[in-house]
Amino acid sequence: LVSSNPTVSLINALGELDAVSMTTTDTDAWYIDEVKSAMAEGKISYIGDGQELDYEAIAAGGVQLAVFSQMLTEDVAAQLENLGVNILVDHASAEEHPLARVEWMKLYGALFNGEEEADRLVGEQDELVGSLAGQAPIDKTVSIFYITSSGSLYVRNADDYMAKMVGLAGGKYAHADLGAGKSGTTK
């Protein structure tokens, strides 16, 4: 059971998507074609959002490990523990640099006996970012934001990993003074 889309993307990159049998993201919300296909084929099941899980399906599925982001609530953790499910809380979202988030792949490589593949993939990303360092900045200014269904607008803070990705690519982040020293978003 995996309740973190970024974690599933790392597991998929390692070629271990078959190890994921349940997720808390429904099919239409996925951006990874392999996950959509696995869900359409019934290999991965949607078991409810991260707050209201189908515990009967989890018990029947024999889930041994649940991977959650830091959004795991105490009541969900307690229910999973009552079922004998081991819980791993992925703290990649707390990482301040994009490459630090990628390095979490090494943990999943270790879980799936794929340390060499994880090291190779992380190395590729390190090289890619390193190759950008010597390039001249591009003349592009970027804003990263989203609007919620209730109409609230959130902008990525200046020190958020996404804003840093703009800088790594040679661009200028439009909100470089917003939330300086903080990751995440500002309403």
Side-chain angles (χ1 to χ4, degrees):
L1 162 63
V2 182
S3 181
S4 168
N5 294 15
T7 299
V8 173
S9 70
L10 297 176
I11 293 170
N12 183 54
L14 285 167
E16 298 293 341
L17 191 59
D18 288 344
V20 178
S21 61
M22 297 177 183
T23 183
T24 60
T25 302
D26 210 348
T27 308
D28 59 345
W30 280 100
Y31 55 89
I32 302 171
D33 291 336
E34 293 88 348
V35 176
K36 288 182 179 184
S37 295
M39 291 184 85
E41 295 169 14
K43 295 178 182 176
I44 299 177
S45 302
Y46 171 67
I47 52 139
D49 69 29
Q51 309 305 312
E52 297 181 26
L53 303 179
D54 183 345
Y55 295 106
E56 290 178 8
I58 292 169
V63 173
Q64 296 177 3
L65 177 66
V67 181
F68 276 79
S69 69
Q70 293 173 275
M71 302 297 289
L72 178 65
T73 62
E74 288 182 27
D75 59 320
V76 170
Q79 288 284 0
L80 291 171
E81 288 170 0
N82 285 339
L83 292 173
V85 176
N86 296 302
I87 300 169
L88 171 69
V89 179
D90 182 317
H91 289 268
S93 63
E95 300 289 0
E96 295 182 7
H97 193 279
L99 288 176
R101 288 174 175 239
V102 172
E103 284 202 351
W104 278 78
M105 186 178 297
K106 292 179 181 181
L107 170 65
Y108 300 108
L111 283 175
F112 298 115
N113 199 26
E115 292 95 339
E116 288 181 23
E117 180 66 0
D119 286 342
R120 185 186 70 75
L121 292 167
V122 170
E124 283 180 2
Q125 295 304 305
D126 283 338
E127 286 179 26
L128 175 64
V129 171
S131 73
L132 299 173
Q135 295 183 1
I138 57 175
D139 189 26
K140 300 287 181 188
T141 301
V142 177
S143 176
I144 305 173
F145 65 92
Y146 62 93
I147 300 172
T148 66
S149 58
S150 63
S152 296
L153 182 126
Y154 289 85
V155 177
R156 290 286 175 172
N157 289 321
D159 287 319
D160 184 72
Y161 82 101
M162 290 182 125
K164 288 180 181 179
M165 288 172 60
V166 170
L168 289 170
K172 180 181 175 191
Y173 187 57
H175 311 288
D177 295 331
L178 180 72
K182 296 191 293 186
S183 63
T185 60
T186 294
K187 185 174 179 180

PDB file of all heavy atoms in Angstrom, residues 62-102:
ATOM      1  N   GLY A  62      -3.764  -8.816   2.492  1.00  0.00           N
ATOM      2  CA  GLY A  62      -2.535  -9.269   3.137  1.00  0.00           C
ATOM      3  C   GLY A  62      -1.420  -8.236   3.110  1.00  0.00           C
ATOM      4  O   GLY A  62      -0.247  -8.601   3.052  1.00  0.00           O
ATOM      5  N   VAL A  63      -1.777  -6.981   3.169  1.00  0.00           N
ATOM      6  CA  VAL A  63      -0.781  -5.913   3.108  1.00  0.00           C
ATOM      7  C   VAL A  63       0.164  -6.026   4.295  1.00  0.00           C
ATOM      8  O   VAL A  63      -0.270  -6.133   5.449  1.00  0.00           O
ATOM      9  CB  VAL A  63      -1.472  -4.517   3.096  1.00  0.00           C
ATOM     10  CG1 VAL A  63      -0.448  -3.402   3.195  1.00  0.00           C
ATOM     11  CG2 VAL A  63      -2.317  -4.361   1.843  1.00  0.00           C
ATOM     12  N   GLN A  64       1.462  -6.007   4.018  1.00  0.00           N
ATOM     13  CA  GLN A  64       2.470  -6.099   5.074  1.00  0.00           C
ATOM     14  C   GLN A  64       3.136  -4.759   5.346  1.00  0.00           C
ATOM     15  O   GLN A  64       3.627  -4.523   6.441  1.00  0.00           O
ATOM     16  CB  GLN A  64       3.527  -7.124   4.699  1.00  0.00           C
ATOM     17  CG  GLN A  64       2.977  -8.523   4.597  1.00  0.00           C
ATOM     18  CD  GLN A  64       4.039  -9.517   4.156  1.00  0.00           C
ATOM     19  OE1 GLN A  64       5.198  -9.180   3.972  1.00  0.00           O
ATOM     20  NE2 GLN A  64       3.635 -10.760   3.991  1.00  0.00           N
ATOM     21  N   LEU A  65       3.174  -3.889   4.321  1.00  0.00           N
ATOM     22  CA  LEU A  65       3.846  -2.597   4.461  1.00  0.00           C
ATOM     23  C   LEU A  65       2.998  -1.509   3.825  1.00  0.00           C
ATOM     24  O   LEU A  65       2.532  -1.664   2.695  1.00  0.00           O
ATOM     25  CB  LEU A  65       5.220  -2.625   3.786  1.00  0.00           C
ATOM     26  CG  LEU A  65       6.008  -1.311   3.786  1.00  0.00           C
ATOM     27  CD1 LEU A  65       6.406  -0.918   5.213  1.00  0.00           C
ATOM     28  CD2 LEU A  65       7.233  -1.418   2.899  1.00  0.00           C
ATOM     29  N   ALA A  66       2.816  -0.425   4.566  1.00  0.00           N
ATOM     30  CA  ALA A  66       2.130   0.756   4.042  1.00  0.00           C
ATOM     31  C   ALA A  66       3.119   1.918   4.073  1.00  0.00           C
ATOM     32  O   ALA A  66       3.750   2.173   5.098  1.00  0.00           O
ATOM     33  CB  ALA A  66       0.903   1.084   4.887  1.00  0.00           C
ATOM     34  N   VAL A  67       3.260   2.594   2.933  1.00  0.00           N
ATOM     35  CA  VAL A  67       4.161   3.736   2.835  1.00  0.00           C
ATOM     36  C   VAL A  67       3.301   4.986   2.716  1.00  0.00           C
ATOM     37  O   VAL A  67       2.492   5.101   1.791  1.00  0.00           O
ATOM     38  CB  VAL A  67       5.103   3.621   1.622  1.00  0.00           C
ATOM     39  CG1 VAL A  67       6.042   4.820   1.571  1.00  0.00           C
ATOM     40  CG2 VAL A  67       5.889   2.314   1.671  1.00  0.00           C
ATOM     41  N   PHE A  68       3.472   5.883   3.667  1.00  0.00           N
ATOM     42  CA  PHE A  68       2.707   7.126   3.697  1.00  0.00           C
ATOM     43  C   PHE A  68       3.657   8.312   3.715  1.00  0.00           C
ATOM     44  O   PHE A  68       4.797   8.199   4.171  1.00  0.00           O
ATOM     45  CB  PHE A  68       1.826   7.192   4.954  1.00  0.00           C
ATOM     46  CG  PHE A  68       0.523   6.483   4.826  1.00  0.00           C
ATOM     47  CD1 PHE A  68       0.447   5.109   4.955  1.00  0.00           C
ATOM     48  CD2 PHE A  68      -0.642   7.186   4.573  1.00  0.00           C
ATOM     49  CE1 PHE A  68      -0.757   4.441   4.827  1.00  0.00           C
ATOM     50  CE2 PHE A  68      -1.853   6.538   4.456  1.00  0.00           C
ATOM     51  CZ  PHE A  68      -1.917   5.165   4.584  1.00  0.00           C
ATOM     52  N   SER A  69       3.154   9.431   3.262  1.00  0.00           N
ATOM     53  CA  SER A  69       3.887  10.688   3.428  1.00  0.00           C
ATOM     54  C   SER A  69       3.661  11.160   4.856  1.00  0.00           C
ATOM     55  O   SER A  69       3.009  10.479   5.654  1.00  0.00           O
ATOM     56  CB  SER A  69       3.369  11.730   2.445  1.00  0.00           C
ATOM     57  OG  SER A  69       2.050  12.122   2.799  1.00  0.00           O
ATOM     58  N   GLN A  70       4.141  12.332   5.159  1.00  0.00           N
ATOM     59  CA  GLN A  70       3.969  12.886   6.497  1.00  0.00           C
ATOM     60  C   GLN A  70       2.516  13.240   6.797  1.00  0.00           C
ATOM     61  O   GLN A  70       2.208  13.652   7.906  1.00  0.00           O
ATOM     62  CB  GLN A  70       4.851  14.117   6.654  1.00  0.00           C
ATOM     63  CG  GLN A  70       6.328  13.776   6.627  1.00  0.00           C
ATOM     64  CD  GLN A  70       7.179  15.010   6.604  1.00  0.00           C
ATOM     65  OE1 GLN A  70       7.430  15.568   5.548  1.00  0.00           O
ATOM     66  NE2 GLN A  70       7.613  15.453   7.767  1.00  0.00           N
ATOM     67  N   MET A  71       1.622  13.047   5.851  1.00  0.00           N
ATOM     68  CA  MET A  71       0.206  13.351   6.040  1.00  0.00           C
ATOM     69  C   MET A  71      -0.531  12.234   6.793  1.00  0.00           C
ATOM     70  O   MET A  71      -1.720  12.330   7.022  1.00  0.00           O
ATOM     71  CB  MET A  71      -0.466  13.591   4.685  1.00  0.00           C
ATOM     72  CG  MET A  71       0.166  14.710   3.864  1.00  0.00           C
ATOM     73  SD  MET A  71       0.052  16.323   4.644  1.00  0.00           S
ATOM     74  CE  MET A  71      -1.686  16.634   4.463  1.00  0.00           C
ATOM     75  N   LEU A  72       0.168  11.174   7.162  1.00  0.00           N
ATOM     76  CA  LEU A  72      -0.443  10.070   7.893  1.00  0.00           C
ATOM     77  C   LEU A  72      -1.008  10.566   9.219  1.00  0.00           C
ATOM     78  O   LEU A  72      -0.311  11.198  10.003  1.00  0.00           O
ATOM     79  CB  LEU A  72       0.598   8.981   8.152  1.00  0.00           C
ATOM     80  CG  LEU A  72       0.138   7.774   8.955  1.00  0.00           C
ATOM     81  CD1 LEU A  72      -0.929   6.983   8.208  1.00  0.00           C
ATOM     82  CD2 LEU A  72       1.327   6.883   9.292  1.00  0.00           C
ATOM     83  N   THR A  73      -2.283  10.274   9.448  1.00  0.00           N
ATOM     84  CA  THR A  73      -2.912  10.688  10.710  1.00  0.00           C
ATOM     85  C   THR A  73      -2.774   9.584  11.754  1.00  0.00           C
ATOM     86  O   THR A  73      -2.582   8.413  11.419  1.00  0.00           O
ATOM     87  CB  THR A  73      -4.404  11.011  10.502  1.00  0.00           C
ATOM     88  OG1 THR A  73      -5.079   9.825  10.065  1.00  0.00           O
ATOM     89  CG2 THR A  73      -4.591  12.131   9.474  1.00  0.00           C
ATOM     90  N   GLU A  74      -2.904   9.972  13.008  1.00  0.00           N
ATOM     91  CA  GLU A  74      -2.775   9.004  14.100  1.00  0.00           C
ATOM     92  C   GLU A  74      -3.833   7.919  14.034  1.00  0.00           C
ATOM     93  O   GLU A  74      -3.545   6.748  14.302  1.00  0.00           O
ATOM     94  CB  GLU A  74      -2.846   9.722  15.446  1.00  0.00           C
ATOM     95  CG  GLU A  74      -1.615  10.542  15.758  1.00  0.00           C
ATOM     96  CD  GLU A  74      -1.689  11.215  17.120  1.00  0.00           C
ATOM     97  OE1 GLU A  74      -2.388  10.696  18.023  1.00  0.00           O
ATOM     98  OE2 GLU A  74      -1.046  12.258  17.272  1.00  0.00           O
ATOM     99  N   ASP A  75      -5.072   8.283  13.656  1.00  0.00           N
ATOM    100  CA  ASP A  75      -6.129   7.272  13.614  1.00  0.00           C
ATOM    101  C   ASP A  75      -5.907   6.257  12.503  1.00  0.00           C
ATOM    102  O   ASP A  75      -6.136   5.068  12.678  1.00  0.00           O
ATOM    103  CB  ASP A  75      -7.518   7.912  13.542  1.00  0.00           C
ATOM    104  CG  ASP A  75      -7.712   8.804  12.330  1.00  0.00           C
ATOM    105  OD1 ASP A  75      -6.777   9.534  11.977  1.00  0.00           O
ATOM    106  OD2 ASP A  75      -8.815   8.778  11.744  1.00  0.00           O
ATOM    107  N   VAL A  76      -5.426   6.706  11.337  1.00  0.00           N
ATOM    108  CA  VAL A  76      -5.130   5.773  10.247  1.00  0.00           C
ATOM    109  C   VAL A  76      -3.964   4.871  10.655  1.00  0.00           C
ATOM    110  O   VAL A  76      -4.011   3.650  10.452  1.00  0.00           O
ATOM    111  CB  VAL A  76      -4.829   6.522   8.934  1.00  0.00           C
ATOM    112  CG1 VAL A  76      -4.275   5.579   7.871  1.00  0.00           C
ATOM    113  CG2 VAL A  76      -6.083   7.224   8.417  1.00  0.00           C
ATOM    114  N   ALA A  77      -2.928   5.450  11.256  1.00  0.00           N
ATOM    115  CA  ALA A  77      -1.788   4.656  11.712  1.00  0.00           C
ATOM    116  C   ALA A  77      -2.236   3.597  12.722  1.00  0.00           C
ATOM    117  O   ALA A  77      -1.811   2.437  12.649  1.00  0.00           O
ATOM    118  CB  ALA A  77      -0.725   5.565  12.318  1.00  0.00           C
ATOM    119  N   ALA A  78      -3.096   3.978  13.641  1.00  0.00           N
ATOM    120  CA  ALA A  78      -3.578   3.040  14.653  1.00  0.00           C
ATOM    121  C   ALA A  78      -4.354   1.889  14.013  1.00  0.00           C
ATOM    122  O   ALA A  78      -4.177   0.721  14.400  1.00  0.00           O
ATOM    123  CB  ALA A  78      -4.446   3.773  15.677  1.00  0.00           C
ATOM    124  N   GLN A  79      -5.203   2.208  13.043  1.00  0.00           N
ATOM    125  CA  GLN A  79      -5.978   1.159  12.356  1.00  0.00           C
ATOM    126  C   GLN A  79      -5.053   0.187  11.629  1.00  0.00           C
ATOM    127  O   GLN A  79      -5.244  -1.025  11.677  1.00  0.00           O
ATOM    128  CB  GLN A  79      -6.965   1.782  11.359  1.00  0.00           C
ATOM    129  CG  GLN A  79      -8.123   2.484  11.995  1.00  0.00           C
ATOM    130  CD  GLN A  79      -9.165   1.496  12.527  1.00  0.00           C
ATOM    131  OE1 GLN A  79      -9.025   0.283  12.430  1.00  0.00           O
ATOM    132  NE2 GLN A  79     -10.214   2.041  13.102  1.00  0.00           N
ATOM    133  N   LEU A  80      -4.048   0.742  10.937  1.00  0.00           N
ATOM    134  CA  LEU A  80      -3.113  -0.118  10.209  1.00  0.00           C
ATOM    135  C   LEU A  80      -2.311  -0.987  11.173  1.00  0.00           C
ATOM    136  O   LEU A  80      -2.110  -2.180  10.915  1.00  0.00           O
ATOM    137  CB  LEU A  80      -2.177   0.725   9.338  1.00  0.00           C
ATOM    138  CG  LEU A  80      -2.844   1.422   8.148  1.00  0.00           C
ATOM    139  CD1 LEU A  80      -1.874   2.402   7.494  1.00  0.00           C
ATOM    140  CD2 LEU A  80      -3.355   0.406   7.131  1.00  0.00           C
ATOM    141  N   GLU A  81      -1.872  -0.403  12.284  1.00  0.00           N
ATOM    142  CA  GLU A  81      -1.129  -1.176  13.275  1.00  0.00           C
ATOM    143  C   GLU A  81      -1.996  -2.284  13.861  1.00  0.00           C
ATOM    144  O   GLU A  81      -1.503  -3.399  14.097  1.00  0.00           O
ATOM    145  CB  GLU A  81      -0.601  -0.254  14.366  1.00  0.00           C
ATOM    146  CG  GLU A  81       0.551   0.618  13.880  1.00  0.00           C
ATOM    147  CD  GLU A  81       0.955   1.712  14.853  1.00  0.00           C
ATOM    148  OE1 GLU A  81       0.345   1.824  15.947  1.00  0.00           O
ATOM    149  OE2 GLU A  81       1.888   2.465  14.516  1.00  0.00           O
ATOM    150  N   ASN A  82      -3.280  -2.012  14.075  1.00  0.00           N
ATOM    151  CA  ASN A  82      -4.202  -3.047  14.565  1.00  0.00           C
ATOM    152  C   ASN A  82      -4.321  -4.208  13.592  1.00  0.00           C
ATOM    153  O   ASN A  82      -4.584  -5.337  14.007  1.00  0.00           O
ATOM    154  CB  ASN A  82      -5.590  -2.458  14.847  1.00  0.00           C
ATOM    155  CG  ASN A  82      -5.622  -1.634  16.112  1.00  0.00           C
ATOM    156  OD1 ASN A  82      -4.772  -1.782  16.985  1.00  0.00           O
ATOM    157  ND2 ASN A  82      -6.602  -0.746  16.210  1.00  0.00           N
ATOM    158  N   LEU A  83      -4.142  -3.919  12.306  1.00  0.00           N
ATOM    159  CA  LEU A  83      -4.194  -4.968  11.290  1.00  0.00           C
ATOM    160  C   LEU A  83      -2.853  -5.677  11.117  1.00  0.00           C
ATOM    161  O   LEU A  83      -2.733  -6.596  10.307  1.00  0.00           O
ATOM    162  CB  LEU A  83      -4.629  -4.375   9.937  1.00  0.00           C
ATOM    163  CG  LEU A  83      -6.060  -3.871   9.846  1.00  0.00           C
ATOM    164  CD1 LEU A  83      -6.289  -3.167   8.508  1.00  0.00           C
ATOM    165  CD2 LEU A  83      -7.048  -5.016  10.028  1.00  0.00           C
ATOM    166  N   GLY A  84      -1.843  -5.219  11.851  1.00  0.00           N
ATOM    167  CA  GLY A  84      -0.518  -5.827  11.738  1.00  0.00           C
ATOM    168  C   GLY A  84       0.284  -5.324  10.556  1.00  0.00           C
ATOM    169  O   GLY A  84       1.247  -5.977  10.136  1.00  0.00           O
ATOM    170  N   VAL A  85      -0.098  -4.184  10.010  1.00  0.00           N
ATOM    171  CA  VAL A  85       0.601  -3.615   8.854  1.00  0.00           C
ATOM    172  C   VAL A  85       1.742  -2.732   9.350  1.00  0.00           C
ATOM    173  O   VAL A  85       1.543  -1.854  10.188  1.00  0.00           O
ATOM    174  CB  VAL A  85      -0.364  -2.777   7.976  1.00  0.00           C
ATOM    175  CG1 VAL A  85       0.381  -2.111   6.826  1.00  0.00           C
ATOM    176  CG2 VAL A  85      -1.504  -3.647   7.457  1.00  0.00           C
ATOM    177  N   ASN A  86       2.937  -2.982   8.839  1.00  0.00           N
ATOM    178  CA  ASN A  86       4.087  -2.136   9.144  1.00  0.00           C
ATOM    179  C   ASN A  86       3.943  -0.825   8.380  1.00  0.00           C
ATOM    180  O   ASN A  86       3.456  -0.817   7.243  1.00  0.00           O
ATOM    181  CB  ASN A  86       5.393  -2.821   8.741  1.00  0.00           C
ATOM    182  CG  ASN A  86       5.627  -4.077   9.544  1.00  0.00           C
ATOM    183  OD1 ASN A  86       5.688  -4.036  10.754  1.00  0.00           O
ATOM    184  ND2 ASN A  86       5.730  -5.198   8.846  1.00  0.00           N
ATOM    185  N   ILE A  87       4.377   0.269   8.983  1.00  0.00           N
ATOM    186  CA  ILE A  87       4.225   1.583   8.373  1.00  0.00           C
ATOM    187  C   ILE A  87       5.588   2.222   8.184  1.00  0.00           C
ATOM    188  O   ILE A  87       6.408   2.245   9.103  1.00  0.00           O
ATOM    189  CB  ILE A  87       3.349   2.500   9.253  1.00  0.00           C
ATOM    190  CG1 ILE A  87       1.961   1.896   9.428  1.00  0.00           C
ATOM    191  CG2 ILE A  87       3.258   3.900   8.659  1.00  0.00           C
ATOM    192  CD1 ILE A  87       1.120   2.584  10.491  1.00  0.00           C
ATOM    193  N   LEU A  88       5.808   2.751   6.997  1.00  0.00           N
ATOM    194  CA  LEU A  88       6.999   3.540   6.688  1.00  0.00           C
ATOM    195  C   LEU A  88       6.519   4.938   6.330  1.00  0.00           C
ATOM    196  O   LEU A  88       5.678   5.088   5.441  1.00  0.00           O
ATOM    197  CB  LEU A  88       7.762   2.936   5.505  1.00  0.00           C
ATOM    198  CG  LEU A  88       8.905   3.773   4.944  1.00  0.00           C
ATOM    199  CD1 LEU A  88      10.057   3.850   5.942  1.00  0.00           C
ATOM    200  CD2 LEU A  88       9.385   3.205   3.628  1.00  0.00           C
ATOM    201  N   VAL A  89       7.009   5.944   7.047  1.00  0.00           N
ATOM    202  CA  VAL A  89       6.644   7.326   6.741  1.00  0.00           C
ATOM    203  C   VAL A  89       7.776   7.935   5.925  1.00  0.00           C
ATOM    204  O   VAL A  89       8.910   8.042   6.390  1.00  0.00           O
ATOM    205  CB  VAL A  89       6.376   8.148   8.016  1.00  0.00           C
ATOM    206  CG1 VAL A  89       6.032   9.587   7.657  1.00  0.00           C
ATOM    207  CG2 VAL A  89       5.249   7.517   8.826  1.00  0.00           C
ATOM    208  N   ASP A  90       7.445   8.283   4.700  1.00  0.00           N
ATOM    209  CA  ASP A  90       8.391   8.870   3.762  1.00  0.00           C
ATOM    210  C   ASP A  90       8.457  10.377   4.031  1.00  0.00           C
ATOM    211  O   ASP A  90       7.466  11.073   3.902  1.00  0.00           O
ATOM    212  CB  ASP A  90       7.903   8.587   2.334  1.00  0.00           C
ATOM    213  CG  ASP A  90       8.826   9.110   1.266  1.00  0.00           C
ATOM    214  OD1 ASP A  90       9.321  10.244   1.403  1.00  0.00           O
ATOM    215  OD2 ASP A  90       9.034   8.395   0.278  1.00  0.00           O
ATOM    216  N   HIS A  91       9.619  10.865   4.390  1.00  0.00           N
ATOM    217  CA  HIS A  91       9.809  12.280   4.704  1.00  0.00           C
ATOM    218  C   HIS A  91      10.451  13.044   3.550  1.00  0.00           C
ATOM    219  O   HIS A  91      11.002  14.130   3.755  1.00  0.00           O
ATOM    220  CB  HIS A  91      10.667  12.431   5.960  1.00  0.00           C
ATOM    221  CG  HIS A  91       9.969  12.024   7.216  1.00  0.00           C
ATOM    222  ND1 HIS A  91       9.266  12.912   7.989  1.00  0.00           N
ATOM    223  CD2 HIS A  91       9.855  10.819   7.822  1.00  0.00           C
ATOM    224  CE1 HIS A  91       8.751  12.277   9.019  1.00  0.00           C
ATOM    225  NE2 HIS A  91       9.087  11.007   8.937  1.00  0.00           N
ATOM    226  N   ALA A  92      10.376  12.505   2.334  1.00  0.00           N
ATOM    227  CA  ALA A  92      10.989  13.171   1.187  1.00  0.00           C
ATOM    228  C   ALA A  92      10.442  14.579   0.992  1.00  0.00           C
ATOM    229  O   ALA A  92      11.168  15.478   0.558  1.00  0.00           O
ATOM    230  CB  ALA A  92      10.782  12.341  -0.084  1.00  0.00           C
ATOM    231  N   SER A  93       9.186  14.792   1.328  1.00  0.00           N
ATOM    232  CA  SER A  93       8.591  16.114   1.131  1.00  0.00           C
ATOM    233  C   SER A  93       9.214  17.173   2.031  1.00  0.00           C
ATOM    234  O   SER A  93       9.057  18.371   1.787  1.00  0.00           O
ATOM    235  CB  SER A  93       7.080  16.075   1.344  1.00  0.00           C
ATOM    236  OG  SER A  93       6.792  15.715   2.685  1.00  0.00           O
ATOM    237  N   ALA A  94       9.958  16.764   3.047  1.00  0.00           N
ATOM    238  CA  ALA A  94      10.635  17.721   3.926  1.00  0.00           C
ATOM    239  C   ALA A  94      11.997  18.142   3.373  1.00  0.00           C
ATOM    240  O   ALA A  94      12.609  19.073   3.894  1.00  0.00           O
ATOM    241  CB  ALA A  94      10.811  17.122   5.318  1.00  0.00           C
ATOM    242  N   GLU A  95      12.447  17.463   2.332  1.00  0.00           N
ATOM    243  CA  GLU A  95      13.747  17.789   1.744  1.00  0.00           C
ATOM    244  C   GLU A  95      13.680  19.146   1.047  1.00  0.00           C
ATOM    245  O   GLU A  95      12.715  19.460   0.365  1.00  0.00           O
ATOM    246  CB  GLU A  95      14.177  16.713   0.749  1.00  0.00           C
ATOM    247  CG  GLU A  95      14.323  15.333   1.341  1.00  0.00           C
ATOM    248  CD  GLU A  95      15.517  15.160   2.262  1.00  0.00           C
ATOM    249  OE1 GLU A  95      16.282  16.130   2.459  1.00  0.00           O
ATOM    250  OE2 GLU A  95      15.683  14.054   2.790  1.00  0.00           O
ATOM    251  N   GLU A  96      14.723  19.923   1.203  1.00  0.00           N
ATOM    252  CA  GLU A  96      14.737  21.273   0.658  1.00  0.00           C
ATOM    253  C   GLU A  96      15.291  21.353  -0.758  1.00  0.00           C
ATOM    254  O   GLU A  96      15.059  22.329  -1.458  1.00  0.00           O
ATOM    255  CB  GLU A  96      15.531  22.195   1.577  1.00  0.00           C
ATOM    256  CG  GLU A  96      14.867  22.362   2.931  1.00  0.00           C
ATOM    257  CD  GLU A  96      15.611  23.301   3.853  1.00  0.00           C
ATOM    258  OE1 GLU A  96      16.581  23.951   3.419  1.00  0.00           O
ATOM    259  OE2 GLU A  96      15.211  23.390   5.025  1.00  0.00           O
ATOM    260  N   HIS A  97      16.031  20.363  -1.191  1.00  0.00           N
ATOM    261  CA  HIS A  97      16.626  20.399  -2.531  1.00  0.00           C
ATOM    262  C   HIS A  97      16.025  19.277  -3.373  1.00  0.00           C
ATOM    263  O   HIS A  97      15.806  18.167  -2.866  1.00  0.00           O
ATOM    264  CB  HIS A  97      18.146  20.237  -2.436  1.00  0.00           C
ATOM    265  CG  HIS A  97      18.856  20.563  -3.699  1.00  0.00           C
ATOM    266  ND1 HIS A  97      18.950  19.683  -4.742  1.00  0.00           N
ATOM    267  CD2 HIS A  97      19.483  21.698  -4.094  1.00  0.00           C
ATOM    268  CE1 HIS A  97      19.624  20.247  -5.722  1.00  0.00           C
ATOM    269  NE2 HIS A  97      19.956  21.471  -5.359  1.00  0.00           N
ATOM    270  N   PRO A  98      15.756  19.542  -4.642  1.00  0.00           N
ATOM    271  CA  PRO A  98      15.166  18.505  -5.501  1.00  0.00           C
ATOM    272  C   PRO A  98      15.959  17.204  -5.524  1.00  0.00           C
ATOM    273  O   PRO A  98      15.376  16.121  -5.509  1.00  0.00           O
ATOM    274  CB  PRO A  98      15.135  19.160  -6.881  1.00  0.00           C
ATOM    275  CG  PRO A  98      15.107  20.622  -6.610  1.00  0.00           C
ATOM    276  CD  PRO A  98      15.906  20.813  -5.354  1.00  0.00           C
ATOM    277  N   LEU A  99      17.282  17.281  -5.547  1.00  0.00           N
ATOM    278  CA  LEU A  99      18.085  16.057  -5.580  1.00  0.00           C
ATOM    279  C   LEU A  99      17.985  15.275  -4.271  1.00  0.00           C
ATOM    280  O   LEU A  99      18.091  14.047  -4.274  1.00  0.00           O
ATOM    281  CB  LEU A  99      19.546  16.372  -5.906  1.00  0.00           C
ATOM    282  CG  LEU A  99      19.801  16.780  -7.350  1.00  0.00           C
ATOM    283  CD1 LEU A  99      21.267  17.169  -7.540  1.00  0.00           C
ATOM    284  CD2 LEU A  99      19.407  15.677  -8.321  1.00  0.00           C
ATOM    285  N   ALA A 100      17.763  15.956  -3.175  1.00  0.00           N
ATOM    286  CA  ALA A 100      17.585  15.258  -1.898  1.00  0.00           C
ATOM    287  C   ALA A 100      16.305  14.425  -1.937  1.00  0.00           C
ATOM    288  O   ALA A 100      16.249  13.330  -1.374  1.00  0.00           O
ATOM    289  CB  ALA A 100      17.557  16.254  -0.750  1.00  0.00           C
ATOM    290  N   ARG A 101      15.298  14.936  -2.618  1.00  0.00           N
ATOM    291  CA  ARG A 101      14.058  14.165  -2.766  1.00  0.00           C
ATOM    292  C   ARG A 101      14.292  12.918  -3.615  1.00  0.00           C
ATOM    293  O   ARG A 101      13.768  11.848  -3.325  1.00  0.00           O
ATOM    294  CB  ARG A 101      12.972  15.034  -3.397  1.00  0.00           C
ATOM    295  CG  ARG A 101      12.459  16.083  -2.441  1.00  0.00           C
ATOM    296  CD  ARG A 101      11.486  17.025  -3.119  1.00  0.00           C
ATOM    297  NE  ARG A 101      10.933  17.927  -2.133  1.00  0.00           N
ATOM    298  CZ  ARG A 101       9.643  18.038  -1.863  1.00  0.00           C
ATOM    299  NH1 ARG A 101       8.767  17.320  -2.530  1.00  0.00           N
ATOM    300  NH2 ARG A 101       9.214  18.867  -0.946  1.00  0.00           N
ATOM    301  N   VAL A 102      15.095  13.078  -4.659  1.00  0.00           N
ATOM    302  CA  VAL A 102      15.414  11.945  -5.534  1.00  0.00           C
ATOM    303  C   VAL A 102      16.187  10.873  -4.770  1.00  0.00           C
ATOM    304  O   VAL A 102      16.007   9.679  -5.009  1.00  0.00           O
ATOM    305  CB  VAL A 102      16.206  12.424  -6.777  1.00  0.00           C
ATOM    306  CG1 VAL A 102      16.719  11.245  -7.595  1.00  0.00           C
ATOM    307  CG2 VAL A 102      15.345  13.332  -7.641  1.00  0.00           C
TER     308      VAL A 102
END
